[in-house]
Each structure stands twice: as C-alpha cells, then as structure tokens.
Amino acid sequence: MIGWGTLIRLCLVNAAIGGLAALPVNLFNRLMTVELSWPALLPGLLVALHYGVQLTRPAWGHRSDVKGGRTVFILGGLVLVSLGVIGSAYGILVASGAPMMALAVWIVSYTAIGMGIGAAGTSFLALLAAASGSRKGAAATLAWLFLIAGAIAASIGTGIALEPYSAERLLVIVSIVCAIACVVALLATLGVEQHVPPTTMDPATPLRDALRQTWADPAARQFTGFVFLSILAFYLSELILEPFAGHIHGLSPEDSTKLSGGKDGAALLGMIGAGVLSHFRFGSLRIWAIAGCLISATGLLALAAGLPLVPATVVLGLGNGLFVVGAIGSMMQLAAAHQDATGTRMGIFGAAQAVAAGLAGLIATGMLDLARFVASDAHAYASVFTLEAVLFLAAAVMAARIMARPDDLKNATMVPGE
C-alpha cells in the first residue's frame, strides 16, 4: 500500500484526464455550435462516438487484472487523447474553408480521444484500487476531486488564454495544455506500480468468463443500472450548457468556458464538503448520492425556469459534486470487494457510464435541434433541462432502493475521508 503523498501524486493522473476531456465536451462543442453555426447534433454525435469507443473499457480492465503493467497504458492513453484534442482544434481551424476535411479530422480525433480515455482511465482506476489498500473511499474522493480540479484548470485557464479568441490561438493554447497534461501524468506515475501487489486473477481467464462472473453478482448488475441512469442524467446538459449561455444569455466563448469552470468549482466544493463530513461520520455514500441527485435536479429546474444563470449553475455543480462522491465511492467499494476482478468490474461500470454519457449527448443535442424548430430557443433549452431533472429524480429513487445503508457497510467498506 502506498503512502498518502504517493496516493495524492497518483491522482494527478485524473487531473490530466479531466483537463483534456473537458475541452471536447465544453469548449469545442460551443465553438462548433455557436461560432461555426453547425447543428448541435454534430458535436453530440462526435461526443457519442468518443464515448462509444470506450466500450473497450472492460477489455482494458481485464488486461489489468491478468497482466498488470498499467502505467504504460495510462501514459500511452494520455498521449493518444492529446493527439485527438489537438486534432479537434485543428479541425476547428480549417472548418470555415474546408468543412468536409474538418469533419473527417473530427471523426478521427474524437475516436482517438475515446480510445485514449478508455485505456488511461480504466488502467488508472485499476492501479488506484490496487495501490490504495484499505483507503478505497478516500482514494475515490481524491481521484474525482482531482478530475474536477483538472477540468477547472483547463476550462478557466484556456478561457483566459483565449482572449481575444481566434482559431489559430486556440490551436496553440490547446497544444500547450496537452503537453502539460502528459508531463503531469508522467510525474504522477513514476515508481508507483512497483509498490502494488500482484493481481490474483488466473492469467488464463478469458475476458468472456470474467465478464460472466461479474454479471452473475446481483449487486454488480443493480449498480450498473444505477450508473447508467444517473450518468444519463449527469451528462444530459453537458453539451448544451455553454451553447445555452451563448444563445440565451449572450456570453462570449471565453465567458461561457469560465461558466463551465465555475460549475466544476461548485462541484469541487460539494465533493470536499461531503468528504469532510464523512470523515466525522456524518452522512454516507447513499445519502450523498441521493442528495446530489435532488440538488442537481433543483439547479436544472432553475435553469429551465429562466432564473439567474450563475446561481442556478452553481446549485447544479454543487449537486453534481455530492452525487460523484456517493456514486463513485460506491463504485470503488463494489469493485474492490473482489480483489481478483477489480479492473474488470471497473471496466463494466465504466462501459455503462460511457454508453449513458454518449446517449445523453445524442438525446440532448437532437432534442434541442428538434425543439428549436417548433419553439423558441429558451423553451427548447428548458425542455432538455426539465428532462434531465426528471432523470435525476428517478436516479435518487433508485439509489434509495439499491445502495447500501451505513449499517450494511460497517464491517465491509469505508466512506470517503476515512
């Protein structure tokens, strides 16, 4: 088991992943929809593509279980993500003069982003679960705190550096961000894997058998369903928040990017608050998941009702942060309960998350384009936000039914902050 300092350093990998992943789903989406005037469905399809490619996550997780050697896949995956992000920025640069070329570049780039995130993200979580010993809850909280922090740094930093905006400047800034992310990941993983105990899964176990064994566990099946529903709700507004800020509230690209960073900042505060309270035995993973869903729904209904943009976005971010602590902490617990299949379980949960996130992008952007044909822009965005709120309320009900209560966890697991 590694020490706290090394654990914190390892979680910098998730900051690098979060920073790179934030650009395609936030800034690039807004630039395609507003500045380039492409249909919102286009970035929705591209993001769905990058999530669809992440169906390979169980294969990456299974490989971690049977062979180890996760560091090379973390670093290689991040290099692939970086190439995809830079390629996407280049596509934006050439889109005005060569739209078909830009489309081809985007398809290749988003495929690379999805493959890289699948390899790096799953391998990182498998390494984290193996290296954190009995501190699974705390490790999960740290990992996602760093993920949000990376997204904040990339969003706000890129937004500031983009002033004044130009496609040429975008390409330069994005390349610098990618280089920083790769260096951070390299430093974060140095020497960590040598302290990790070897995996216990039989190296001859086929992927199909490992998946069948995991799916035979009722708790794993039910939690996979919760992951799908809650992540569908979580990501439904991801691709439309910045266009909403531009179309309805008139924010510039720099300011809408900062708004996304502000939402992530509120999520970070929610995660820290839940972690601190859990350390003093106040609350539980189940409570944070339910409360996060309910508060997120409140923020979305406020956006739909036309209430002030910043306060409503902050409420949404706060709820998202509480939800992440409850849901991801429970995911780490369930995966770590089977030491010989931690990576495979992480892969299955990650695949469910990827399918839900990709489907959310298609539903949100397709619904938005359709609603804008028959109603005003404000009503079109409100319809998507309302649907997302309903899904969050359904996820809260599901969490209350299937997630373990504190008494069920006394002798088995830990909560964030322990």
Side-chain angles (χ1 to χ4, degrees), residues 213-369:
Q213 292 168 11
T214 298
W215 200 247
D217 181 1
R221 286 200 310 273
Q222 291 178 346
F223 191 76
T224 301
F226 168 72
V227 168
F228 179 83
L229 178 62
S230 59
I231 294 299
L232 183 65
F234 187 86
Y235 280 103
L236 206 62
S237 63
E238 191 77 9
L239 290 182
I240 69 167
L241 182 61
E242 288 207 34
F244 171 71
H247 282 141
I248 306 302
H249 294 275
L251 269 63
S252 66
E254 310 92 80
D255 289 336
S256 68
T257 301
K258 293 173 186 175
L259 179 71
S260 291
K263 188 192 83 169
D264 290 338
L268 184 63
L269 290 176
M271 295 176 69
I272 293 173
V276 171
L277 291 174
S278 294
H279 179 74
F280 293 102
R281 301 296 192 276
F282 184 86
S284 66
L285 296 178
R286 180 173 179 267
I287 292 299
W288 301 133
I290 295 171
C293 289
L294 295 176
I295 294 174
S296 295
T298 300
L300 290 162
L301 292 174
L303 290 173
L307 297 180
L309 177 63
V310 173
T313 303
V314 168
V315 171
L316 174 60
L318 180 63
N320 284 178
L322 296 175
F323 161 77
V324 164
V325 170
I328 304 305
S330 296
M331 184 186 299
M332 289 283 288
Q333 288 177 340
L334 280 173
H338 295 260
Q339 296 292 338
D340 61 339
T342 298
T344 303
R345 286 180 168 236
M346 281 295 184
I348 290 175
F349 296 150
Q353 174 181 328
V355 171
L359 184 60
L362 288 176
I363 292 174
T365 53
M367 183 177 175
L368 178 62
D369 283 338

Side-chain angles (χ1 to χ4, degrees), residues 55-62 65 201 205-217 220-221 341 343-349 351:
L55 286 174
T56 57
R57 277 178 176 264
W60 297 119
H62 178 255
D65 289 331
M201 178 178 283
T205 303
L207 174 61
R208 180 180 299 179
D209 290 351
L211 293 176
R212 186 183 299 114
Q213 292 168 11
T214 298
W215 200 247
D217 181 1
R221 286 200 310 273
T344 303
R345 286 180 168 236
M346 281 295 184
I348 290 175
F349 296 150

Side-chain angles (χ1 to χ4, degrees), residues 44-58:
L45 288 169
L46 290 172
V47 172
L49 171 64
H50 114 273
Y51 282 121
V53 173
Q54 292 182 49
L55 286 174
T56 57
R57 277 178 176 264

Side-chain angles (χ1 to χ4, degrees), residues 2-234:
I2 61 178
W4 280 107
T6 305
L7 180 63
I8 293 172
R9 174 165 64 88
L10 177 59
C11 287
L12 285 170
V13 170
N14 231 24
I17 294 174
L20 295 184
L23 297 178
V25 299
N26 292 326
L27 178 59
F28 294 172
N29 159 64
R30 181 246 157 81
L31 293 174
M32 292 177 192
T33 305
V34 180
E35 273 64 34
L36 296 177
S37 299
W38 287 64
L41 185 59
L42 172 68
L45 288 169
L46 290 172
V47 172
L49 171 64
H50 114 273
Y51 282 121
V53 173
Q54 292 182 49
L55 286 174
T56 57
R57 277 178 176 264
W60 297 119
H62 178 255
R63 190 203 176 282
S64 296
D65 289 331
V66 300
K67 294 183 179 180
R70 297 162 183 134
T71 300
V72 65
F73 285 90
I74 293 172
L75 298 178
L78 274 165
V79 170
L80 190 56
V81 175
S82 297
L83 293 174
V85 171
I86 293 171
S88 299
Y90 176 75
I92 292 172
L93 175 64
V94 303
S96 297
M100 290 301 100
M101 177 182 175
L103 184 59
V105 169
W106 287 333
I107 290 173
V108 173
S109 297
Y110 275 73
T111 300
I113 292 170
M115 186 67 72
I117 290 177
T122 306
S123 300
F124 161 73
L125 288 174
L127 178 58
L128 181 67
S132 57
S134 61
R135 298 167 298 186
K136 296 294 188 299
T141 302
L142 280 172
W144 289 89
L145 283 173
F146 275 87
L147 182 77
I148 298 298
I152 293 171
S155 296
I156 296 181
T158 302
I160 293 173
L162 275 178
E163 298 179 7
Y165 170 75
S166 71
E168 292 80 7
R169 189 179 185 88
L170 173 71
L171 184 59
V172 173
I173 298 304
V174 163
S175 299
I176 294 173
V177 170
C178 290
I180 293 173
C182 289
V183 171
V184 167
L186 175 62
L187 296 175
T189 54
L190 280 177
V192 173
E193 199 157 8
Q194 64 186 9
H195 301 294
V196 175
T199 58
T200 58
M201 178 178 283
D202 184 352
T205 303
L207 174 61
R208 180 180 299 179
D209 290 351
L211 293 176
R212 186 183 299 114
Q213 292 168 11
T214 298
W215 200 247
D217 181 1
R221 286 200 310 273
Q222 291 178 346
F223 191 76
T224 301
F226 168 72
V227 168
F228 179 83
L229 178 62
S230 59
I231 294 299
L232 183 65
F234 187 86

